[in-house]
């Protein structure tokens, strides 16, 4: 027999995200040049995107010095119908994992709605960037289907 107890209440949580050196370079490149910068490990032959300061496989020191994209390939996707609070969204939203050209890792972001596009794994996509970029992930509005 257990004596489970429950104490109702709320716990407000505030946090500040610090991007660090690798992600800082990624966001600066996105803001200033509209490009995606990653890090290449010459020992493991892996290109990480966003940039990393060390290889997750061999722990080698890395530099944010490899431009990836701008196009990429959709490796997986899903449609969301509810938000993080389990409330219905006004309209369904699609999110996908995109492997930008030259990268070995994927980036999760929105798939922008387009008439007639039923996303499929392997689709070619291109980024859509905001014109007023600030150096944050929201500078990337999402990915749309590549022409042709």
């Amino acid at each position: 027999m257990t004596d489970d107890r429950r104490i109702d209440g709320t716990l407000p949580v505030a946090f500040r995200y610090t991007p660090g050196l690798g992600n800082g370079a990624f966001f600066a490149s996105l803001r200033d040049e509209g490009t995606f910068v990653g890090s290449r490990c010459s020992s493991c032959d892996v290109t990480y995107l966003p940039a990393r300061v060390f290889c997750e496989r061999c722990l080698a020191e890395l530099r944010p010095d490899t431009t990836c994209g701008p196009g990429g390939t959709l490796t997986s996707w899903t449609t969301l119908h509810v938000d993080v609070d389990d409330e219905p969204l006004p309209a369904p939203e699609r999110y996908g994992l995109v492997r930008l050209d030259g990268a070995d890792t994927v980036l999760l972001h929105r798939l922008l709605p387009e008439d007639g596009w039923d996303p499929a794994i392997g689709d070619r996509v291109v980024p859509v960037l905001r014109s007023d970029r600030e150096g944050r992930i929201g500078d990337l509005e999402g990915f749309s289907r590549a022409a042709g």
Side-chain angles (χ1 to χ4, degrees), residues 71-144:
T73 303
L74 187 62
T75 64
S76 184
W77 65 278
T78 191
T79 302
L80 306 179
H81 297 275
V82 296
D83 65 16
V84 295
D85 296 317
D86 208 26
E87 296 297 321
L89 292 169
E93 294 182 16
R94 291 177 172 159
Y95 280 78
L97 295 175
V98 174
R99 181 174 291 115
L100 289 178
D101 296 341
D104 293 305
T105 58
V106 294
L107 191 63
L108 171 67
H109 215 292
R110 281 192 310 239
L111 300 179
L112 300 175
E114 292 182 39
D115 288 338
W117 184 28
D118 188 18
I121 293 171
D123 281 356
R124 294 291 299 165
V125 295
V126 292
V128 176
L129 302 177
R130 296 186 189 282
S131 59
D132 58 337
R133 298 187 296 271
E134 300 175 0
R136 57 187 187 86
I137 197 61
D139 292 347
L140 171 62
E141 289 186 33
F143 289 95
S144 64

